[in-house]
Amino acid sequence: MSIHKNFILFLFIQGFIFQTLFSQDVGIGEWRDHLPYKSTISVTASKENIYCATPYSIFYYNKAENSVNRFTRISGLSDIGIARVGFNQEYNTLVVAYENTNIDLVKGNVIINMRDIIDSDAITPEEKIINNIMFIDNLAYLSCGFGIVVLDIDKEEITDTYYIGPNGAHINVSDLTYNDTSFFAAAEIGIFTAYLDSPNLAYFGSWLRDESLPDPSAFYSYIVFSSGKLFTCKASEEYANDTVLYYDNATWNYYSEFSNEDVYGLKNYGDELYIIHSYFLNAYDANLERTLNIWTYNYLDSPVPRDMIIDNTIMWIADDRNGLVRRISDNDYTFIYPNGPNAPDVFSMSAEGNTVYVVAGGRDLSWNNIWKRVNIFSFIDGEWNTIDDTDNPELDAIRDMVCVAINPFQHSQIFAGSWFRGMLELNVQDLENIYTPENSGLGYKSNQGPPVCNVGGVAFDKSGYLWATSSHANEILSVRIPDGSPLGEWHSYNLGTFSGSQDVGDLIIDSYDQKWILIRAEHSLIVFNDNGTITNTGDDQVKVLTSAAGNGNIPGNKVFSIAEDNDGEVWIGTDEGVAVFYSPENVFSNYNFDAQRILIPRNDGTGLADILLEFETVTAIAVDGANNKWIGTDRSGVFHLSPDGQIEYNHFTVQNSPLFSNNITSIVIDEKGEVFLGTAKGIISYRSSATPGGETNSDVYAYPNPVEPGYTGPIAITGLVTNADFKITDISGNLIYNGKAEGGQAIWNGTNFSGRRAQSGVYLVFVSNDDGSEKLVTKILFIN
């Protein structure tokens, strides 16, 4: 069944090609994506636009306006993970084929989602692949992992499926082409042909394998007609060993001038054959004379082409590293892509002010290395930048970045921990230092030794000192005190034989200056208190919290996440939901400090209650300015809860929101209340209504202001003292609305107490804290 959905293409980026913009704020309750756009895989053209697909989304270049626009789940796409895109000019339809065989038809301002293949029980999950798209009139022929699907884009329905393998077997069809008489399908066990006018192409007997090929049962990946010759590619599992051959004069032929480098596509434009290779692109005329060799983009960068088209004499290349490449001539190349991080991977994030840093490393479930190269992404003033070994060769030997912290007193200073070789210090984008046990208080992994130094957690205390954990080290906790020297002054702490033999990860520092350390051991946390005497270890206190009552009462088997809320309570996420240490200051007094589960009354007359998120693995916890909790899970998306966890404000999932994945890896919130959600398929953010408040009103303003005709969204007054009371009156002093700020931001829906829309005019906003010591009046202009 096809599902029709209306959509609006939100214009997120518009400007010059070289300097795409992404700095505008999103409104309260709105989403925006933070996906990578430089790695592209498929390109197609309409009269107005060039559509370019990444594995995660689409962007399009408007030829007349010279603008770049995003097209994602936020703006209406039904899925993430794109395989191919194709545009049918006659029916003005963009076909979006996803890796999981989901399909969208984009017609003007309407998206038709077609789930026929993905919902079919006749096809195994392994077979649900769409390899390519070919159009004949109103029909889109989809080369799939099980056969060929015929989609009528005019009627918006699947009209036929061809299982062309022996005896109707499912076989992987990688590409399809045709001439005046026949279809030619490149497949995993050969090339199959059938007559166009065959009365029953769905019957496997209509398809015959070409036994004249030198290797008739090989895997053929691409096929195309050019200048009357049929070209195909015999794929090889060996690196750089693909073979392009062609059929001419009733004979299959090899051509020594064709490269054996891996082939990513065969195309025909203007009777010229285009062969897309791993790192270059060649074109050949009807006599197989090479007419074009793109091995460099005018020395600006090296090609990594994955698809190409010719549109009105201009070549457009989907490049794996350079985005959408426009080629006008050998000396005229332009790289086009929206701003974004270089990869979708998110392991951990940190936010301070309006700055967000992301590390894209990780470790496996047994806390072993997965050997990811360094990728650190920064989001500053609305623009993403990447720190990697491209411009920093010193990072080439470092792997698996797993933690990051921004200095709350100096946002340009960032520390990031590696699960292999120590810790990095950055000054915005510049690498300042690499810390190892040789030049810091960090420790080598005791059962491996140099160079293995697994830094699992980094955090700043209220004095601006940086604390870091070193897994399996003799001294697992270290502190860096800024003393004016490049490396700082370091001190390290042995937290007992138990801690030294454990994998230790993330840490937080609570309002009592206690350090809470996540460890791999079951049911356990470590809490450390230096009692304010960093250099004196004689008064240090260490406690290993467990599942035992009176010693932590930690639920579940593993602790995956931890956060302190605005009331000083410590929330932990486990594989059996959440629990709260309501009195963390009592950890070392052994008095009433155990973690408590949150009970949600059923309110059904039974007097029973359920444990909050008891059956969820909680992978991330963040606290917003109103002390609301944002809880991320490994399979159920994100829960937005009240400060005490009793009320569920929102539950965002892939099914009911633009969220890219229900597997959440990290959550952070910036000072404007934008909630950044790291998922298994990339970063997406949601603008919440809560922001951090202050002790005083500071830089107070309302937005939008003026409120223009037609606007029905929330009106925010921001920059307020924490949890301020506010009243809204008309210019005559009549009370229209009152309420309480969410942290540092008040929200008005533009109506009075009876729900009627406010009339045109000036409205006064009176703000006060509880004792009346902080007062302020501001204005909002309302236009109907």
Side-chain angles (χ1 to χ4, degrees), residues 218-469:
F219 173 31
Y220 292 89
S221 54
Y222 300 99
I223 193 163
V224 70
F225 270 99
S226 182
S227 299
K229 302 178 182 68
L230 179 64
F231 293 83
T232 190
C233 174
K234 186 178 77 169
S236 173
E237 294 181 356
E238 298 178 9
Y239 173 72
N241 198 32
D242 288 353
T243 304
V244 176
L245 56 158
Y246 67 97
Y247 188 78
D248 188 30
N249 294 324
T251 305
W252 283 101
N253 304 275
Y254 295 102
Y255 184 46
S256 61
E257 296 300 315
F258 290 156
S259 172
N260 286 343
E261 288 289 333
D262 292 341
V263 174
Y264 282 85
L266 301 177
K267 297 295 186 91
N268 173 67
Y269 290 100
D271 286 331
E272 285 198 312
L273 171 71
Y274 291 82
I275 305 179
I276 303 168
H277 291 283
S278 299
Y279 301 105
F280 59 94
L281 188 156
N282 289 337
Y284 301 86
D285 63 16
N287 299 317
L288 300 185
E289 295 290 334
R290 193 170 71 184
T291 59
L292 180 66
N293 172 226
I294 301 176
W295 61 272
T296 177
Y297 294 141
N298 196 27
Y299 299 97
L300 298 173
D301 213 325
S302 299
V304 192
R306 293 297 176 261
D307 193 15
M308 58 79 61
I309 60 170
I310 304 291
D311 179 66
N312 293 327
T313 73
I314 296 176
M315 180 183 291
W316 301 86
I317 302 170
D319 191 285
D320 188 45
R321 189 168 56 201
N322 299 293
L324 175 63
V325 181
R326 181 179 66 186
R327 178 191 182 274
I328 295 177
S329 69
D330 278 342
N331 300 316
D332 190 347
Y333 288 92
T334 306
F335 306 130
I336 303 169
Y337 48 85
N339 176 251
N342 271 9
D345 304 331
V346 183
F347 191 81
S348 182
M349 299 191 290
S350 178
E352 290 289 346
N354 290 320
T355 297
V356 176
Y357 273 77
V358 179
V359 289
R363 53 186 175 234
D364 67 18
L365 295 177
S366 299
W367 290 46
N368 295 318
N369 287 94
I370 57 177
W371 308 112
K372 283 191 175 182
R373 303 182 75 88
V374 173
N375 261 316
I376 303 173
F377 312 126
S378 66
F379 188 63
I380 304 171
D381 295 329
E383 183 172 341
W384 285 99
N385 285 287
T386 297
I387 301 102
D388 57 20
D389 59 12
T390 303
D391 298 317
N392 301 280
E394 308 96 314
L395 302 181
D396 183 62
I398 298 175
R399 296 289 186 274
D400 297 336
M401 307 305 298
V402 295
C403 55
V404 61
I406 304 170
N407 188 337
F409 303 100
Q410 184 182 341
H411 295 176
S412 61
Q413 186 182 48
I414 299 92
F415 290 85
S418 158
W419 199 247
F420 182 47
R421 288 196 177 184
M423 181 175 67
L424 310 180
E425 179 188 355
L426 304 173
N427 180 9
V428 189
Q429 303 299 318
D430 298 326
L431 178 64
E432 292 287 307
N433 292 300
I434 299 177
Y435 294 91
T436 70
E438 303 301 319
N439 62 1
S440 71
L442 301 174
Y444 288 121
K445 191 174 182 180
S446 57
N447 58 354
Q448 285 186 267
V452 181
C453 173
N454 293 352
V455 177
V458 286
F460 282 92
D461 65 19
K462 56 189 176 184
S463 299
Y465 299 169
L466 178 80
W467 295 77
T469 62

Side-chain angles (χ1 to χ4, degrees), residues 547-589:
S547 59
N551 194 57
N553 197 36
I554 296 173
N557 293 311
K558 299 283 185 182
V559 180
F560 290 94
S561 53
I562 187 168
E564 184 189 32
D565 73 6
N566 300 341
D567 293 330
E569 299 167 353
V570 174
W571 289 57
I572 60 172
T574 76
D575 55 354
E576 291 185 9
V578 297
V580 185
F581 291 94
Y582 290 103
S583 302
E585 70 276 15
N586 292 338
V587 165
F588 293 103
S589 70

Side-chain angles (χ1 to χ4, degrees), residues 614-769:
E614 179 182 9
F615 303 107
E616 302 291 348
T617 295
V618 174
T619 53
I621 303 174
V623 181
D624 67 21
N627 208 26
N628 300 317
K629 309 305 185 293
W630 293 80
I631 309 293
T633 67
D634 70 337
R635 62 180 180 179
S636 298
V638 179
F639 294 84
H640 177 203
L641 307 176
S642 61
D644 60 4
Q646 292 286 331
I647 302 172
E648 181 182 296
Y649 296 141
N650 295 292
H651 177 200
F652 296 123
T653 67
V654 168
Q655 289 72 33
N656 66 12
S657 76
L659 197 66
F660 299 144
S661 169
N662 287 331
N663 182 354
I664 308 300
T665 59
S666 183
I667 304 175
V668 295
I669 306 172
D670 74 7
E671 69 178 9
K672 292 185 177 181
E674 190 165 3
V675 183
F676 289 77
L677 305 170
T679 80
K681 294 183 178 180
I683 304 169
I684 190 170
S685 62
Y686 173 84
R687 182 73 175 271
S688 74
S689 56
T691 65
E695 296 182 1
T696 61
N697 297 309
S698 177
D699 298 323
V700 175
Y701 64 93
Y703 68 94
N705 193 12
V707 181
E708 297 185 349
Y711 180 77
T712 59
I715 303 159
I717 305 96
T718 193
L720 306 182
V721 63
T722 301
N723 298 332
D725 293 309
F726 71 97
K727 294 180 173 62
I728 297 176
T729 73
D730 61 22
I731 199 68
S732 301
N734 299 308
L735 183 64
I736 300 297
Y737 190 84
N738 66 354
K740 200 171 190 66
E742 298 183 44
Q745 185 164 259
I747 301 296
W748 178 37
N749 64 4
T751 65
N752 60 19
F753 291 113
S754 63
R756 296 184 62 182
R757 190 76 175 158
Q759 297 179 351
S760 296
V762 175
Y763 291 84
L764 303 178
V765 183
F766 296 87
V767 178
S768 174
N769 63 354

